[in-house]
Amino acid sequence: MSRFLLPIGFILLIVLLYVGLSLNPREVPSVFINKPAPDFSLPKLEQLDQQVSNKDMLGKVWLFNVWATWCVSCRSEHHTLMALANTGEVPIVGLNYKDENAPAQTWLSQLGNPYIFNAVDAEGRTGIDYGVYGTPETFIIDKKGVIRHKHTGPIYPQQLEQSILPLVRQLKAEQG
Amino acid sequence: MRNFIIHAVVLWALSFSAQAKIESMEFANEQMEEDYKVLIQELRCLVCQNQNLADSNAELAQDLRRQVVELLDKGSSRDEVVDYMIARYGDFVMYRPPLKITTVLLWFGPVVFFFIAGYVVISFIRKQQQSADVGISEQQKQKAHSLLDDE
């Protein structure tokens, strides 16, 4: 009996460790998938006396990208966002998270602005509503305003081609 | 030796400042303060994942502590605050995960492994005893006794 049990137990343990150790502990499963994007109404970074809202984007597939000037990896994904914006395939809305307006505006004018507009979340409350725990984070939101995917960490061209753009195209084909 | 004692006392004293929190919170009543203390012990800081909100000084932890206070101020119960956090960050935000199908292994895995290990150890010991018995026959035993008695 134990002649069989031992190797089986050993194999089970190997499988458990193999799966367990290859998981990314930073990847907190998002509870927002297939849930409506939380509402926000915030000042527009490009013109602070105007308000912007998630409702402005109803009827469109869009990316909601959480960024800040203090976020180092946001800088590394910035040129990928620029390239994506240049294709015109999907509009990107920015959430300038716990940042100051002046450096954020400078960032956009110096590095380029891939966003159709940016919402200012100086106190991070909208961030909490979206379950943001690290920047950058990117949500893919469909025509009905439902979150369909969340990408944690910087977007690289490879991920853009392999996961994000295919989903965007699929969602654009859906009925609004 | 004196140096050692001074060092020890200084380090011990320093350990208190490491416990101290940055913000001081004001509470309307004792129940609220009690709820706050329990909640920040139970809720996880999402940035520094092995710390709870009470221990962490990450920006997000500060924001979430502020959020907890605001919710309590609005009259939310302890459970409502926990639900609020779970709705945003998932079960992971709780230090004690709920018992669900996906967490069964987490809860009972250690017990299962304990019994498997116990079974293996016991069967190993039994085997050793058996092989020790089988080692020599009755005849050989008598021979050994007679040899020893000759001495």
Side-chain angles (χ1 to χ4, degrees), chain B residues 74-90:
Chain B
K74 277 185 213 153
S76 304
S77 70
R78 232 185 256 182
D79 286 344
E80 280 165 355
V81 176
V82 170
D83 288 344
Y84 174 93
M85 292 297 171
I86 292 173
R88 283 158 181 76
Y89 296 100

Side-chain angles (χ1 to χ4, degrees), chain B residues 52-68:
Chain B
N52 56 23
L53 290 186
D55 290 333
S56 175
N57 266 321
E59 287 246 347
L60 182 64
Q62 292 173 25
D63 289 354
L64 290 178
R65 285 200 293 265
R66 178 196 65 198
Q67 204 72 24
V68 169

Side-chain angles (χ1 to χ4, degrees), chain A residues 1-2 5-6 13 16 25-26 28 31-32 97-98 123 125 127-129 131-133, chain B residues 46-47 49 59-60 63-64 66-67 70 84 86-90 92 105 113 119-120:
Chain A
M1 177 75 169
S2 66
L5 263 182
L6 268 177
L13 197 66
L16 193 74
R26 294 256 143 214
V28 179
V31 284
F32 288 103
Y97 175 68
K98 288 179 76 72
E123 289 183 48
R125 285 173 200 274
I128 290 176
D129 281 341
V132 170
Y133 59 93
Chain B
L46 278 294
V47 180
Q49 299 185 339
E59 287 246 347
L60 182 64
D63 289 354
L64 290 178
R66 178 196 65 198
Q67 204 72 24
E70 285 179 8
Y84 174 93
I86 292 173
R88 283 158 181 76
Y89 296 100
F92 187 70
L105 192 62
F113 276 113
Y119 175 79
V120 169

Side-chain angles (χ1 to χ4, degrees), chain B residues 1-16:
Chain B
M1 187 61 197
R2 230 186 100 194
N3 252 341
F4 172 78
I5 291 171
I6 291 171
H7 274 116
V9 169
V10 167
L11 284 175
W12 176 70
L14 277 176
S15 70
F16 287 97

Side-chain angles (χ1 to χ4, degrees), chain A residues 40 42-45 52 64 93-97 117-121:
Chain A
F40 64 83
L42 293 168
K44 185 178 179 180
L45 179 65
V52 288
F64 190 40
V93 174
L95 182 73
N96 189 224
Y97 175 68
F117 61 78
N118 277 279
V120 177
D121 185 24

